[in-house]
Amino acid sequence: MTDTVYWIWLASLRGVGVKTKRELLDRFGSPTAVFAATEQELGSCGLTASALAAFSRRNLDCAEKVLQKCESGGVRIITLREAGYPQRLMNIFDPPLVLYVRGALPDIDSEPVVAMVGTRSYSTYGERMARKLGAEVALCGGTVCTGLAGGIDSICAQSALDVGGRVVGVLGTAINQVYPRSNEPLFDAVEQNGALVSEYPPDAQTSARCFPARNRIIAGLSVAVCVVEAPQKSGALITADFAAENGRDVFAVPGGADSDKSRGCNNLLRDGAGLAEAGWDIISAYAARFPEKISKYAQIPARSAESPPPKRAPAEDTAAFYKFREPVAKKPKAPEPPPPPPSDSGLTETQRKILSAIRPPETHIDDIISASGLTAPQVLSQLTMLQIKGFVRQGAGKRFSRTGKV
C-alpha cells in the first residue's frame, strides 16, 4: 500500500494537533510507523486522553477514499517530506502535513511570492489600490498569493491574472470546494494560470475556524505579506501576524487618517510595516534575491487574449518604472470630449472604445459600460490597464475621467 495513504490518514486524524503529529513523525520516523505503533508506545509519548482515543479508532478506509478522489479529480498530493514540498512553508512553526493542489504549483522556493490580503468590505480606494498593486506586482515578476476570499483578495488575484501573471490561491475549504460560490470563474482561472492549494482533502467538512488556519499557509508560501485595506479587526491582520511571527516581511497600503477601513493598515505602518504605494515598493526588496525573476516596468504592453504573457524587460532597464507613480499633469476641461488616442498609442481596440465612452468632466462606470457596449468585467479589467498606463484616473463614486494623455 502506498505511503501516501498513511500521510492522508495522519493529517486528517481529528483530536490530535499538528504539533503532536510532527512530534510523532520525529519519534517513529514515518506515518506508516505511527499507524503501526502500539497503544503502549503511543502512551509513552505523553499524548492526551483525547489523542489516544483518536488513535484507538485507526482505520484507513477514509484515507483510501480520499486518495481515489484525488486520482480521479486531478488533485496532486504533496506530503511534508516530499521533494516538491516548499521548503519556505516547511520552515513555519506548524506546516501542514499534506498539501492538496489543483493546477501547477510553481517552484515556490525560487519565486518572489507576495501575499496580498484585505477586507471583504472594501472602499473605492481599496479597490483601486488592489487593482493597481495586484497588476504591478505580477508585471514586476512576482507571484501573487491570496486566500481568494471575496473583496480585496479576489481583486488582487484578478488584476494579476489580467496582466498575464500567476496566482496561488490558498483555500480554507476542501480542495474541490469553491467559496464564495460567486468566485467560481476566478477559481477556474487561478487553476489554469497557477494553483489552488488546501490542506483539506476533497469533500472534507470544514468550519469557520479553518479560514484563520489557512492564513498561516498564505504567509508561509510568501516572502512578504501586503495588507491592502483592513479595518482594526480583520482576518487580513491574522495573516500579517503569521508573517511577522515566521520571519516574513509585512507591508501595508496607507489609508486616510479618518478611514475606519484603513485603520488596521495604518496601525501596521505605525508598528513598522513597510509602506506600499506601488507594486515596486514591495517587490524591489527582493530584486537581489531573485535577479532573474524581477524587473521594473515602465508601462503595460498591449496584448490580445491569444498572445503569450509579455516578456519582462532586463533587470537593468529600470529607470522608467516610477512613471507608475508620477502625477499626471491636469489639463483644462474642454466642452468637447478629448480626441481619441492615435492608432500608435499602444492601446487595444477595446481600450480605445472605453476611452471614447468617457465624457468630460467625469463618467460613471455604469455609463461607460452602457456607452461602450462591453460587459462589466471587460470594462473593469481594461480600466485598470488604462489607469496604470496613465490614460485614465478614477475619482470618487466609481467615476472616471480622461487624463488627456495622447
Side-chain angles (χ1 to χ4, degrees), residues 138-209:
L139 284 168
C140 291
T143 295
V144 171
C145 181
T146 84
L148 295 183
I152 295 296
D153 288 33
S154 295
I155 295 169
C156 289
Q158 186 63 63
S159 185
L161 292 172
D162 286 343
V163 297
R166 184 163 51 190
V167 174
V168 174
V170 182
L171 313 185
T173 61
I175 187 62
N176 61 342
Q177 182 179 352
V178 176
Y179 182 83
R181 291 297 306 175
S182 58
N183 265 359
E184 186 168 2
L186 178 60
F187 275 55
D188 291 341
V190 170
E191 184 176 359
Q192 294 298 318
N193 298 277
L196 299 171
V197 178
S198 177
E199 63 180 315
Y200 306 111
D203 300 333
Q205 293 184 351
T206 54
S207 61
R209 64 183 180 183

Side-chain angles (χ1 to χ4, degrees), residues 43-281:
S44 67
C45 296
L47 300 183
T48 64
S50 61
L52 287 172
F55 280 105
S56 69
R57 300 186 293 271
R58 276 172 281 188
N59 189 300
L60 293 177
D61 290 347
C62 290
E64 290 173 345
K65 290 179 181 178
V66 167
L67 183 59
Q68 292 172 1
K69 288 178 181 178
C70 290
E71 290 175 347
S72 62
V75 176
R76 180 185 175 193
I77 301 173
I78 307 176
T79 65
L80 183 65
R81 292 182 178 171
E82 282 186 42
Y85 195 100
Q87 185 68 39
R88 190 181 296 165
L89 180 60
M90 193 181 299
N91 290 338
I92 68 172
F93 294 133
D94 52 352
L97 300 186
V98 174
L99 292 177
Y100 298 92
V101 180
R102 289 167 51 193
L105 185 68
D107 181 7
I108 293 294
D109 299 322
S110 66
E111 294 289 332
V113 181
V114 176
M116 308 191 75
V117 297
T119 179
R120 290 175 172 82
S121 179
Y122 54 88
S123 67
T124 300
Y125 168 76
E127 178 184 12
R128 182 169 72 250
M129 293 306 294
R131 291 188 184 280
K132 171 183 169 66
L133 267 66
E136 291 178 0
V137 164
L139 284 168
C140 291
T143 295
V144 171
C145 181
T146 84
L148 295 183
I152 295 296
D153 288 33
S154 295
I155 295 169
C156 289
Q158 186 63 63
S159 185
L161 292 172
D162 286 343
V163 297
R166 184 163 51 190
V167 174
V168 174
V170 182
L171 313 185
T173 61
I175 187 62
N176 61 342
Q177 182 179 352
V178 176
Y179 182 83
R181 291 297 306 175
S182 58
N183 265 359
E184 186 168 2
L186 178 60
F187 275 55
D188 291 341
V190 170
E191 184 176 359
Q192 294 298 318
N193 298 277
L196 299 171
V197 178
S198 177
E199 63 180 315
Y200 306 111
D203 300 333
Q205 293 184 351
T206 54
S207 61
R209 64 183 180 183
C210 295
F211 290 93
R214 65 93 189 266
N215 291 351
R216 81 188 195 284
I217 303 177
I218 296 174
L221 291 172
S222 307
V223 294
V225 169
C226 177
V227 183
V228 178
E229 185 177 53
Q232 194 158 359
K233 293 183 179 180
S234 170
L237 302 181
I238 298 175
T239 309
D241 287 341
F242 277 124
E245 291 170 0
N246 287 280
R248 307 301 194 266
D249 296 324
V250 177
F251 292 83
V253 175
D258 60 349
S259 171
D260 289 337
K261 291 185 183 297
S262 289
R263 197 165 302 281
C265 289
N266 291 341
N267 287 342
L268 287 175
L269 292 168
R270 184 180 296 113
D271 292 340
L275 179 71
E277 295 178 319
W280 188 247
D281 291 338

Side-chain angles (χ1 to χ4, degrees), residues 268-311:
L268 287 175
L269 292 168
R270 184 180 296 113
D271 292 340
L275 179 71
E277 295 178 319
W280 188 247
D281 291 338
I282 307 167
I283 204 74
S284 62
Y286 311 100
R289 184 173 169 186
F290 305 99
E292 297 182 356
K293 304 283 185 177
I294 293 175
S295 63
K296 293 182 183 178
Y297 253 84
Q299 66 178 20
I300 299 174
R303 68 183 183 96
S304 66
E306 294 78 17
S307 302
K311 184 179 180 181

